[in-house]
């Protein structure tokens, strides 16, 4: 018979015998054309191929060969607890697949295209995978910095489970964000290992130490001359405790954000505070800023901002309260630079905001 499946065509022919009403003996052939299937909401693809189902008892052998026309991987985490949980698996696999391209990996750490070949083994209780894939194009993301892929390969070496071993290498030009003259670095990133045990290697031109590179990628500042080491220590802490931001937000309701902020010569404002002290001027550079935020109630929010550059000491404590859907009141207190001096001056502010929209 013929059927439609996943937007494609499936033809099934053959026979199924019954062994004394105790078991089924399938002798089936399947031909798939441009069928789209997904697996656990993290892997999906369109394929064509020829398959057979044979056997006298479970698990029946599901074998064949296919071509992956396009594929998509949206996560590197697969919930291994979601199995069929059968004492005897229904099917055993022996399927080879060629993927000449258009296998796209789009996750929070990568956006790239791959090609490769795979050999699906195991059974419906436990899947194994052999083969490998190589990158065609794309980039990796490391702390919001895009690294263009110049090497990427993944190897699957286990017949009993899905255990990828990968080597990824990328390059990015990173500009240091400072209040003074900025420097540009060619940063090279290499990731080697498995999802559960991998190592990250960083190098750069001009040369920086690894803590300085982490600080550059996380905070935007290498800061080789700061004796206090504030940038380096904070940058290393954030990377070393990944995902620290989501952990703080989930367990304590605290949102921590690292960002850069434009400053003006002799005057600056932190975060979204209104106005500056001193006469307006054009931005003279940027500095890294840490912002810690917590929602006290559905209508009240507390936040604290602090620049990490000791030469630009800008701090602000803010309380935001929504009076209703249109009105809000904001109270701020902080230290800012005044005039042409970098000496911080304490300041306070209170403003009311009205929000409206045209329809």
């Amino acid at each position: 018979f013929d059927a439609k499946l996943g937007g494609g065509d499936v033809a099934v022919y053959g026979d199924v015998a019954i062994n004394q009403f105790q078991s089924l003996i399938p002798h089936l052939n399947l031909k798939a054309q441009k069928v789209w299937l997904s697996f656990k909401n993290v892997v999906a693809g369109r394929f064509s191929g020829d398959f057979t189902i044979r056997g006298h008892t479970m698990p029946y052998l599901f074998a064949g060969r296919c071509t992956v026309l396009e594929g998509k991987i949206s996560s590197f985490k697969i919930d291994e607890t979601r199995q069929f949980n059968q004492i005897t698996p229904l099917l055993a696999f022996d399927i080879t697949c060629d993927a000449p391209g258009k296998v796209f990996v789009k996750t929070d750490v990568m956006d790239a295209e791959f090609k490769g070949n795979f050999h699906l083994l195991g059974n419906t209780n436990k899947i194994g995978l052999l083969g490998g894939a190589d990158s065609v194009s794309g980039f990796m993301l490391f702390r919001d910095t895009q690294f263009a892929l110049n090497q990427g390969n993944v190897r699957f070496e286990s017949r009993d489970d899905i255990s990828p071993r990968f080597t990824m290498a990328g390059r990015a030009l990173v500009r240091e964000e400072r209040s003074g003259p900025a420097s540009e670095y060619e940063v090279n990133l290499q990731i080697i290992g498995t999802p559960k045990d991998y190592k990250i290697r960083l190098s750069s031109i001009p040369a920086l130490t690894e803590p300085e590179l982490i600080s550059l990628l996380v905070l935007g500042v290498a800061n080789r001359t700061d004796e206090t080491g504030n940038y380096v220590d904070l940058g290393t802490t954030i990377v070393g405790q990944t995902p620290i931001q989501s952990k703080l937000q989930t367990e304590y309701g605290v949102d921590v954000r690292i960002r850069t902020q434009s400053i003006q010569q002799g005057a600056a404002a932190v975060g979204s505070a209104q106005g500056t002290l001193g006469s307006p001027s054009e931005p003279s550079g940027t500095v890294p800023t840490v912002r810690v935020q917590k929602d006290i109630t559905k209508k009240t929010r507390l936040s604290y901002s602090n620049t990490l550059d000791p030469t630009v000491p800008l701090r602000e404590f803010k309380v935001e309260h929504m009076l209703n859907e249109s009105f809000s009141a904001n109270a701020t207190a902080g230290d800012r630079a005044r005039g042409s001096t970098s000496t911080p001056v304490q300041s306070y502010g209170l403003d009311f905001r009205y929000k409206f929209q045209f329809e």
Side-chain angles (χ1 to χ4, degrees):
F1 66 91
D2 296 331
K4 291 286 187 180
L5 178 64
D9 299 315
V10 176
V12 181
Y13 53 95
D15 58 76
V16 178
I18 300 178
N19 181 21
Q20 298 180 355
F21 298 98
Q22 294 181 355
S23 63
L24 301 178
I25 304 176
H27 191 277
L28 299 175
N29 296 281
L30 298 86
K31 187 176 186 63
Q33 289 289 339
K34 300 180 179 179
V35 174
W36 178 273
L37 291 179
S38 62
F39 176 69
K40 296 186 177 180
N41 297 322
V42 297
V43 179
R46 189 179 304 279
F47 65 92
S48 297
D50 296 291
F51 309 94
T52 61
I53 299 179
R54 301 282 191 274
H56 288 77
T57 59
M58 293 192 300
Y60 302 112
L61 180 61
F62 187 11
R65 187 177 187 86
C66 71
T67 299
V68 179
L69 305 177
E70 59 178 308
K72 181 180 179 181
I73 300 174
S74 57
S75 175
F76 293 127
K77 297 179 180 179
I78 298 178
D79 184 4
E80 296 181 353
T81 63
R82 294 178 59 186
Q83 304 287 352
F84 286 92
N85 295 323
Q86 292 179 276
I87 297 177
T88 302
L90 176 63
L91 297 173
F93 299 114
D94 185 6
I95 301 174
T96 59
C97 289
D98 294 324
K102 294 185 178 181
V103 176
F104 299 99
V105 177
K106 293 188 177 182
T107 70
D108 55 347
V109 296
M110 181 177 290
D111 189 337
E113 179 186 356
F114 284 81
K115 63 179 180 179
N117 54 80
F118 310 95
H119 189 183
L120 185 67
L121 298 168
N123 54 56
T124 48
N125 286 359
K126 193 69 172 178
I127 295 176
L129 188 64
L130 300 176
D134 298 295
S135 63
V136 177
S137 62
F139 60 84
M140 295 182 292
L141 280 173
F142 182 83
R143 305 302 304 180
D144 298 326
T145 300
Q146 288 189 8
F147 286 80
L149 272 174
N150 48 41
Q151 178 191 3
N153 60 72
V154 184
R155 295 294 175 261
F156 300 91
E157 302 169 341
S158 175
R159 303 177 66 91
D160 300 319
D161 57 18
I162 301 177
S163 301
R165 179 175 298 277
F166 50 79
T167 300
M168 301 289 171
R171 172 184 175 275
L173 294 177
V174 182
R175 186 175 179 84
E176 187 176 19
E177 304 289 350
R178 299 222 46 159
S179 56
S183 302
E184 190 173 69
Y185 297 88
E186 178 185 317
V187 181
N188 295 288
L189 169 67
Q190 188 178 44
I191 305 176
I192 301 173
T194 67
K196 294 181 179 179
D197 183 18
Y198 61 89
K199 295 186 181 298
I200 298 176
R201 298 175 182 173
L202 292 167
S203 61
S204 68
I205 302 174
L208 293 173
T209 66
E210 188 165 282
E212 290 170 342
L213 278 168
I214 292 174
S215 177
L216 176 66
L217 294 173
V218 176
L219 306 176
V221 182
N223 198 47
R224 288 175 290 181
T225 59
D226 183 12
E227 296 180 357
T228 63
N230 290 338
Y231 295 162
V232 171
D233 292 344
L234 181 59
T236 303
T237 298
I238 290 176
V239 172
Q241 297 183 15
T242 300
I244 183 174
Q245 181 171 323
S246 60
K247 183 177 179 65
L248 288 172
Q249 192 165 15
T250 301
E251 296 189 4
Y252 305 107
V254 177
D255 187 16
V256 180
R257 296 187 180 274
I258 308 294
R259 62 182 181 180
T260 58
Q261 172 192 327
S262 299
I263 64 170
Q264 295 176 339
Q265 184 66 36
V270 177
S272 58
Q274 301 296 307
T276 59
L277 295 176
S279 58
S281 61
E282 294 296 324
S284 61
T286 57
V287 292
T289 302
V290 176
R291 180 182 178 89
V292 182
Q293 178 178 291
K294 180 176 177 61
D295 291 333
I296 304 302
T297 67
K298 292 183 178 180
K299 294 185 177 182
T300 305
R301 173 180 297 169
L302 300 181
S303 64
Y304 175 76
S305 299
N306 185 20
T307 56
L308 298 175
D309 192 332
T311 64
V312 189
L314 306 177
R315 302 176 181 86
E316 180 189 68
F317 177 78
K318 176 186 283 190
V319 180
E320 302 174 75
H321 182 72
M322 294 291 298
L323 301 175
N324 54 42
E325 293 182 356
S326 301
F327 282 97
S328 64
N330 300 325
T332 60
D335 296 334
R336 306 178 192 170
R338 179 188 292 275
S340 59
T341 178
S342 61
T343 303
V345 176
Q346 199 164 43
S347 61
Y348 304 91
L350 179 65
D351 67 78
F352 294 88
R353 298 182 181 181
Y354 176 71
K355 181 175 65 174
F356 62 94
Q357 63 182 17
F358 294 99
E359 296 184 355

